[in-house]
Amino acid sequence: MARKLAVIGAGLMGSGIAQVSAQAGWDVVLRDVTDEALKRGTDGIKASYDKFVSKGKLAADDAEAALGRITTTTDLDACGDADIVVEAVFEKLEVKHEIFRALDKIVRPETVLASNTSAIPITKIAAATEHPERVVGVHFFSPVPMMQLVELVRGYKTSDETLATAREFAESVGKTCIVVNRDVAGFVTTRLISALVVEATKLYESGVATAEDIDLACKLGFGHAMGPLATADLTGVDILLHATGNIYTESQDEKFAPPELMRRMVDAGDIGRKSGQGFYKY
């Protein structure tokens, strides 16, 4: 299997995917729209490698070699010779459509086009291309270097070969895969966490229990590493509001209807760790 990867978007997810792939021996082109975004992404990758080196989990030479396998660009055409492209940009269908429409014309016929979306149906993304059979969902988890799971999602027209190539890629960078055979909004994991966060928020909103006690119940009662409200703060209340909203719009299933409190928190800017305040104060 050839080892040339292009990652579109140098944010937290994109840079994390680039990091684990370069470490696993892939040549990576990391593309974003500004040099500032690319610098932030590569600085983050370097800092993460340094942390692994200082903890003795990665040899300094290997970290340097991995960094050397990452090139950055603002030019989408630079992705033309990639074997697999992973899109990791903002969760807006129009933005993804624009990228996939362009990639469809740039890459080789056998190139696999993957999206790291956590909630948008792959079939909708693939509809922007002439070859929907080569589009697949490859959903990594944050932080990418630490999280073992990748969710592989079949679009309505995704071919078996495309799915197999995506699995081979994900496993080659050290991940374990689950396969989502039916392209429902939110797939498996986002539906599960969304349902849990929505219910936890309702319990908190109506004064049934404190945020701490709700999270403690999930940690000690169900063996979760982290409670749903702390998870919402870590992921970003705004991101989860967007994800639950997407699933609700698609499914019209009431259990995914975002609670009013989540909307108010986002309106007020209390979106979790990144703002210093969410369900908890940071």
Side-chain angles (χ1 to χ4, degrees):
M1 185 183 182
R3 315 276 277 182
K4 180 80 185 273
L5 171 76
V7 180
I8 314 296
L12 194 62
M13 294 305 292
S15 59
I17 294 164
Q19 177 182 329
V20 297
S21 302
Q23 195 177 328
W26 286 75
D27 289 321
V28 181
V29 176
L30 183 59
R31 189 263 183 184
D32 211 312
V33 286
T34 66
D35 289 326
E36 296 79 49
L38 290 166
K39 186 179 182 325
R40 270 198 308 277
T42 47
D43 285 352
I45 292 169
K46 191 176 179 328
S48 185
Y49 282 153
D50 288 347
K51 196 180 279 182
F52 282 121
V53 170
S54 71
K55 287 181 174 173
K57 291 181 176 173
L58 182 64
D61 289 354
D62 292 343
E64 196 151 324
L67 267 177
R69 284 191 281 271
I70 300 172
T71 53
T72 60
T73 183
T74 54
D75 180 12
L76 200 62
D77 288 343
C79 305
D81 61 345
D83 301 292
I84 182 165
V85 183
V86 179
E87 164 276 312
V89 303
F90 187 65
E91 290 281 70
K92 238 191 165 57
L93 187 60
E94 306 79 75
V95 181
K96 294 186 190 290
H97 269 179
E98 200 178 310
I99 288 165
F100 276 80
R101 207 172 285 123
L103 285 171
D104 203 37
K105 294 178 174 65
I106 294 166
V107 299
R108 301 193 308 269
E110 66 277 13
T111 300
V112 166
L113 300 180
S115 176
N116 180 60
T117 182
S118 59
I120 299 172
I122 297 304
T123 309
K124 281 193 169 183
I125 295 170
T129 73
E130 297 288 320
H131 301 282
E133 69 283 353
R134 66 165 170 189
V135 180
V136 63
V138 179
H139 175 213
F140 285 81
F141 290 75
S142 185
V144 177
M146 309 303 292
M147 299 292 273
Q148 270 305 115
L149 187 67
V150 165
E151 204 172 20
L152 300 176
V153 188
R154 251 185 205 282
Y156 190 65
K157 294 195 169 174
T158 305
S159 71
D160 290 346
E161 296 76 26
T162 296
L163 192 73
T165 302
R167 180 188 280 276
E168 209 173 322
F169 159 64
E171 289 177 348
S172 79
V173 303
K175 303 304 179 191
T176 301
C177 301
I178 66 163
V179 177
V180 181
N181 285 310
R182 225 181 90 233
D183 187 19
V184 295
F187 318 136
V188 169
T189 56
T190 306
R191 283 176 92 93
L192 287 171
I193 190 62
S194 294
L196 192 57
V197 168
V198 165
E199 190 54 40
T201 304
K202 286 178 181 170
L203 290 169
Y204 173 66
E205 184 179 38
S206 56
V208 171
T210 63
E212 290 82 356
D213 281 357
I214 292 165
D215 280 351
L216 201 56
C218 290
K219 285 166 73 175
L220 302 185
F222 308 141
H224 293 184
M226 190 185 238
L229 300 177
T231 301
D233 279 357
L234 178 65
T235 308
V237 180
D238 53 335
I239 304 234
L240 271 167
L241 177 67
H242 194 68
T244 52
N246 266 343
I247 299 170
Y248 178 62
T249 303
E250 280 282 320
S251 66
Q252 291 300 300
D253 186 333
E254 283 301 322
K255 73 171 166 285
F256 296 110
E260 200 171 321
L261 178 64
M262 278 178 87
R263 296 183 191 280
R264 293 298 161 265
M265 287 170 75
V266 172
D267 291 343
D270 287 355
I271 53 177
R273 287 194 189 192
K274 56 192 169 186
S275 69
Q277 175 74 55
F279 290 99
Y280 298 89
K281 199 166 184 55
Y282 297 92

